Amino acid sequence: SSEVLEAIENVFQDVLKSLAQKKAPVLTMANRADWRNIEFKDSVGLQMIPHCTTKQIRSDCPRSALKFALVLKVLSMIYKMVQSNTYATKRDIYYSDTLLFGSQSVVDSIINDISCMLKIPRRSLHILSTTKGFVAGNLSYTEEDGTKVNCTCSATIILHAANLNRKDLISHAKFMLIVEKDATFQRLLDDDFCNKVSPCIMITGRGVPDLNTRLLVRKLWDSFQIPIFTLMDADPHGVEIMCIYKYGSVSMSFEAHHLTVPSIKWLGLLPSDLERLNIHKDVLIPFTKQDQNKLASIQKRPYIACQPMWKKELEIMAATKLKAEIQALTSLSSDYLSRVYLPNKLQFGGWL
């Protein structure tokens, strides 16, 4: 905490120095959205390069003056929370002054900018993200306040994964399955999938994963070193989500070391599965222009070059211009996913 306080004090001292010299204060931070600032390393994923291009938030420029003020406002809130050892969610910060911030996304972006500027992980800033992910299966752990959590019985909301110590995690799972959608996750729970094939841990970020879900996946990987498989829709959006778990995202590349698991495998739904299983054309969905653009963008990314099998699957998707949701498997039989598809894939190594 003293490191966080000192880092914030340094920012304010620089502002005061500029004012004393009758200069307009300026905040300088790494440009998180620029691909030129990102390098791909197959052992880590997408990470920010050490000497990256920066952007300035000026206090004397009409376009950036409000953002300058908002960054200082959030920094002062973080300072008070660290001093008093209290925490707030990103939503709490937004609702402390909705008129000033304007939207939740403005607050989220500023918090990530501050974390990147101070080179301090977001969880050390005493800001918690409102979590949306679920975990279920062969896992139990003890929270900071001593509460024992058992995920064997039902889906458990993923709380502040950053606070879990490795020694608090107990599991006899043989593998982990990351499921893109909540509906599929719940269906697999209803089918008792966690115990049927062999004990496993299932996780869903319910779409694009939040920070807590990604932290938990990484923490479980560090703790148990068991295979991790992903079950996504056979569409560009599903591939994008899988890549976030495996290689990280551009906007959070400064925290890649805590968030990515490059050993994650693509189990399904593979574009090649659609033809192999003779999925009826009626349940396939034609690409939109947005899908085509997303796929083209993914195909150009540095990590696809080192995944020749993935490259082939994306080429199949691009050639057919068709996508499929995991639910497409129910056209074969209502429990095909848990009874046939997943057990066969896991037994015979049908992953990439």
Side-chain angles (χ1 to χ4, degrees):
S1 62
S2 59
E3 187 192 331
V4 180
L5 295 175
E6 192 182 335
I8 295 172
E9 284 163 8
N10 289 340
V11 172
F12 279 95
Q13 275 176 347
D14 288 343
V15 168
L16 291 171
K17 268 184 208 161
S18 297
L19 290 171
Q21 293 164 2
K22 295 195 165 40
K23 288 181 189 165
V26 171
L27 297 171
T28 304
M29 54 184 70
N31 195 345
R32 290 187 298 116
D34 192 340
W35 271 94
R36 288 171 300 180
N37 286 337
I38 311 297
E39 65 177 356
F40 170 65
K41 208 172 171 190
D42 53 12
S43 61
V44 180
L46 299 174
Q47 60 177 12
M48 194 168 265
I49 57 174
H51 305 291
C52 57
T53 60
T54 55
K55 60 179 180 180
Q56 287 195 329
I57 302 173
R58 303 189 60 84
S59 59
D60 60 347
C61 165
R63 277 177 59 206
S64 61
L66 176 62
K67 184 162 185 183
F68 179 91
L70 293 180
V71 171
L72 294 192
K73 164 82 172 168
V74 175
L75 277 170
S76 67
M77 292 171 85
I78 292 168
Y79 193 86
K80 282 175 192 159
M81 288 191 295
V82 175
Q83 265 189 328
S84 58
N85 197 26
T86 54
Y87 288 80
T89 65
K90 293 191 294 182
R91 284 191 78 71
D92 293 334
I93 289 176
Y94 168 59
Y95 281 111
S96 69
D97 200 331
T98 53
L99 279 176
L100 177 68
F101 291 115
S103 76
Q104 182 68 58
S105 59
V106 168
V107 173
D108 297 355
S109 174
I110 283 171
I111 289 164
N112 285 342
D113 277 339
I114 286 172
S115 176
C116 186
M117 177 174 73
L118 301 181
K119 294 184 173 54
I120 289 169
R122 195 170 77 191
R123 53 202 169 279
S124 302
L125 302 177
H126 285 229
I127 294 172
L128 310 168
S129 50
T130 38
T131 191
K132 64 187 178 102
F134 285 120
V135 58
N138 195 298
L139 175 70
S140 54
Y141 57 87
T142 309
E143 288 187 342
E144 266 192 325
D145 61 0
T147 309
K148 290 195 169 9
V149 179
N150 189 344
C151 308
T152 313
C153 315
S154 62
T156 307
I157 193 100
I158 294 169
L159 287 167
H160 313 303
N163 300 335
L164 293 178
N165 292 316
R166 281 198 212 176
K167 63 179 187 299
D168 295 334
L169 296 160
I170 301 162
S171 177
H172 304 291
K174 297 286 180 270
F175 65 92
M176 269 169 63
L177 182 67
I178 299 171
V179 182
E180 177 185 348
K181 284 179 174 164
D182 189 27
T184 309
F185 178 84
Q186 298 297 342
R187 177 65 208 247
L188 289 171
L189 273 185
D190 292 344
D191 291 349
D192 196 28
F193 177 75
C194 290
N195 302 308
K196 268 187 181 160
V197 181
S198 58
C200 74
I201 299 167
M202 278 201 320
I203 285 180
T204 180
R206 296 161 79 193
V208 177
D210 63 351
L211 193 69
N212 281 319
T213 305
R214 291 173 64 189
L215 277 169
L216 182 65
V217 169
R218 176 59 197 244
K219 200 144 265 191
L220 293 173
W221 162 248
D222 286 340
S223 304
F224 305 121
Q225 302 277 307
I226 52 177
I228 304 178
F229 303 108
T230 58
L231 180 62
M232 306 279 151
D233 287 341
D235 67 10
H237 189 63
V239 174
E240 172 96 289
I241 289 171
M242 174 172 58
C243 291
I244 290 171
Y245 283 107
K246 186 175 172 76
Y247 295 125
S249 58
V250 174
S251 64
M252 294 295 286
S253 58
F254 61 96
E255 272 216 61
H257 289 269
H258 308 291
L259 296 172
T260 60
V261 185
S263 62
I264 283 173
K265 302 281 184 263
W266 187 4
L267 188 71
L269 187 60
L270 301 177
S272 59
D273 289 339
L274 305 178
E275 195 173 339
R276 183 176 62 82
L277 299 171
N278 206 11
I279 302 284
H280 202 275
K281 288 277 192 285
D282 290 357
V283 293
L284 302 180
I285 307 159
F287 261 26
T288 62
K289 187 78 184 110
Q290 203 177 1
D291 291 325
Q292 282 176 283
N293 294 341
K294 169 77 77 185
L295 181 58
S297 142
I298 293 170
Q299 286 176 304
K300 289 190 195 115
R301 292 192 192 160
Y303 42 71
I304 297 300
C306 69
Q307 290 282 1
M309 300 301 282
W310 284 31
K311 200 166 175 243
K312 275 186 187 164
E313 294 293 330
L314 298 183
E315 282 163 5
I316 292 170
M317 212 188 277
T320 60
K321 292 191 170 58
L322 292 169
K323 57 184 182 176
E325 297 184 328
I326 299 159
Q327 285 87 334
L329 294 174
T330 56
S331 66
L332 300 170
S333 77
S334 62
D335 59 351
Y336 190 85
L337 177 66
S338 58
R339 185 176 54 84
V340 182
Y341 183 83
L342 289 175
N344 282 351
K345 283 256 176 178
L346 292 161
Q347 189 180 343
F348 300 113
W351 56 79
L352 306 178

